Amino acid sequence: MSILEELKWRGLVADCTDAAELTKKISAPVTLYCGFDPTADSLHVGNLVPLIALRRFQLLGHFPIAVAGGATGSIGDPSGKTQERQLLTKEILEKNIASVKIQLAKLLDFETKKNPARLVDNASWTQNISYLEFLRDIGKHFSVNQMVAKESVRARMEDRETGISYTEFSYMLLQAFDFMVLARNENCELQIGGSDQWGNITAGIELTRKKLGKQVYGLTLPLIKNADGTKFGKTEAGAVWLDPKKTSVYKFYQFWINTDDRDVIRDLKFFTFLPKEEIESLEKSHAENPGARAAHKALAESVTDLIHGESATQEAIRASEILFGGSTDAITEQIFNHIVGEVPTVEIAKSKLDGDGILFLDLIVHSGLCSSKGQARKDIESGGVYYTNIRETNFQRPLKTHDLLFGKHFLLRKGKKNYVVVTAK
């Protein structure tokens, strides 16, 4: 199966320049690029489709370039946006690029000698060009009529309230310039991106033809919408980031494990490197027994492995099992720390555990799981309260320092899902 055939099977082709010509061109290794504007100090799951596509090409011997938008990022791409982006300073953009490079190294191989990936900043070929030079050498090749006809521009122009600034209107020229420079300097022959980038990509193809007399190609990947109509990659807490300091590994894993049943097979095709036969087997299992959630587990484990590594994935899985009532036997402190970050935490003075300790009844009230001693006693005696996921029915049980997990914590639960960690300090 060729790379284009595989992408089509996975549902990853939205548009491409002449498919027959492109298939012939990429039958041998080519240099290709995908750009991203470093608008934050971390990538998020919405960035994964094109970046994983770069990895797919690299695994088949192609030469991938990730272009950080140190120049374009200071302008802001109007594609798919209803409002103008906040303009970022050079210092912030440089800091963001440095942070994102660490994440890119998990997706692309920068060390292989055969076909190493490269990260370049388009500010390096843009910052020394004067405004007049750019207008004369690049701007003259663009018709305003054609630019206005592009979907990304037209949609914003039709919005009477926000419109589009001249700054954002110029973005297309800058991205087209990127493609032309890479075609000239790096023999880059293919640009990939989200389907909202089609207008920008074709502008670059035209500019390269006019300036260099060279044929280059474009391929876009679909923008993802969830089956329920919500935007992919967004939760109630906001974006799902690749940086574990912004989105914990546990929450990252949970995002994928909670994928809508209607989307899980699509996401296996989009976001994993599982082979066709395995995905089709998971699709069959999912259709026959969706409650087993085999497809969800395969998706969550594969993507979390890719971004955070197998060890962190297994810790997130173990933490998930515990928060769904699993045993805490043989739990490590590192795994327990995942739990501490995900459930309410209440402090208690360690001195209260000295001597006779604290009654289980009083600890439950202190944790906030019950509002009164009367309610706590009733819930405990009815079997609805748990200590380290073991049902505790003795409300008079004393808990002392030696009962703390890792000398620090009590893990308490009321019902199936109401957890609290009490930390002694």
Side-chain angles (χ1 to χ4, degrees), residues 217-237:
Y217 304 86
L219 170 68
T220 61
L221 308 135
L223 298 179
I224 309 175
K225 281 274 190 175
N226 293 324
D228 61 7
T230 59
K231 186 175 181 180
F232 175 80
K234 294 289 186 181
T235 66
E236 291 182 5

Side-chain angles (χ1 to χ4, degrees), residues 341-358:
E342 303 305 329
V343 302
T345 301
V346 175
E347 293 184 3
I348 189 171
K350 214 165 191 177
S351 59
K352 290 189 175 182
L353 308 180
D354 295 338
D356 293 333
I358 185 172

Side-chain angles (χ1 to χ4, degrees), residues 108-310:
L108 302 171
D109 188 348
F110 291 90
E111 304 299 326
T112 180
K113 294 181 179 179
K114 180 184 176 185
N115 59 329
R118 285 174 289 166
L119 173 63
V120 297
D121 183 352
N122 59 19
S124 65
W125 58 76
T126 306
Q127 60 189 359
N128 294 324
I129 298 177
S130 72
Y131 181 61
L132 289 177
E133 285 178 308
F134 191 80
L135 286 180
R136 184 189 65 193
D137 296 338
I138 304 302
K140 70 177 183 178
H141 294 288
F142 289 85
S143 160
V144 170
N145 303 59
Q146 291 176 324
M147 292 176 68
V148 169
K150 300 290 186 183
E151 173 62 26
S152 60
V153 174
R154 182 165 48 82
R156 286 288 294 277
M157 291 186 69
E158 290 174 354
D159 188 327
R160 295 183 179 181
E161 291 187 13
T162 59
I164 185 171
S165 69
Y166 178 73
T167 301
E168 285 188 308
F169 185 67
S170 304
Y171 186 96
M172 185 186 299
L173 278 68
L174 289 170
Q175 186 168 328
F177 184 52
D178 288 347
F179 202 175
M180 189 273 289
V181 169
L182 290 169
R184 182 189 66 200
N185 297 350
E186 308 293 344
N187 194 32
C188 181
E189 298 180 274
L190 173 64
Q191 181 183 173
I192 67 172
S195 59
D196 59 342
Q197 295 298 308
W198 182 245
N200 295 336
I201 291 174
T202 54
I205 292 172
E206 282 298 298
L207 179 64
T208 303
R209 180 183 63 80
K210 291 175 181 177
K211 291 284 288 183
L212 306 179
K214 186 174 183 178
Q215 177 65 56
V216 290
Y217 304 86
L219 170 68
T220 61
L221 308 135
L223 298 179
I224 309 175
K225 281 274 190 175
N226 293 324
D228 61 7
T230 59
K231 186 175 181 180
F232 175 80
K234 294 289 186 181
T235 66
E236 291 182 5
V240 179
W241 301 97
L242 305 194
D243 186 339
K245 293 191 293 292
K246 296 170 77 77
T247 297
S248 71
V249 181
Y250 172 83
K251 285 182 179 175
F252 187 86
Y253 179 84
Q254 287 298 313
F255 169 78
W256 298 101
I257 202 76
N258 289 320
T259 298
D260 191 300
D261 282 357
R262 295 166 292 179
D263 295 326
V264 67
I265 302 303
R266 177 204 67 184
D267 288 357
L268 278 167
K269 293 178 179 179
F270 279 19
F271 297 103
T272 78
F273 291 88
L274 297 179
K276 182 174 184 286
E277 296 75 17
E278 188 170 347
I279 291 177
E280 288 177 342
S281 175
L282 286 165
E283 184 173 18
K284 183 173 182 292
S285 298
H286 179 64
E288 293 172 350
N289 184 14
R293 299 181 66 76
H296 295 77
K297 292 173 184 176
L299 172 65
E301 188 165 349
S302 294
V303 184
T304 311
D305 276 354
L306 177 65
I307 302 303
H308 297 295
E310 293 182 13

Side-chain angles (χ1 to χ4, degrees), residues 313-356:
T313 301
Q314 292 307 310
E315 289 176 4
I317 291 172
R318 185 76 177 94
S320 299
E321 291 170 350
I322 292 168
L323 289 177
F324 281 89
S327 170
T328 59
D329 290 347
I331 185 177
T332 66
E333 185 172 4
Q334 191 166 339
I335 292 173
F336 193 81
N337 286 338
H338 284 279
I339 296 171
V340 174
E342 303 305 329
V343 302
T345 301
V346 175
E347 293 184 3
I348 189 171
K350 214 165 191 177
S351 59
K352 290 189 175 182
L353 308 180
D354 295 338
D356 293 333

Side-chain angles (χ1 to χ4, degrees), residues 3 6 10 29 32 51-64 107-109 112 114-115 117 272-274 306:
I3 179 65
E6 180 178 355
R10 290 180 179 272
L32 71 155
L51 291 173
I52 288 177
L54 274 187
R55 181 183 174 99
R56 296 187 199 280
F57 274 93
Q58 185 179 26
L59 289 173
L60 291 174
H62 299 278
F63 297 83
L107 295 164
L108 302 171
D109 188 348
T112 180
K114 180 184 176 185
N115 59 329
T272 78
F273 291 88
L274 297 179
L306 177 65

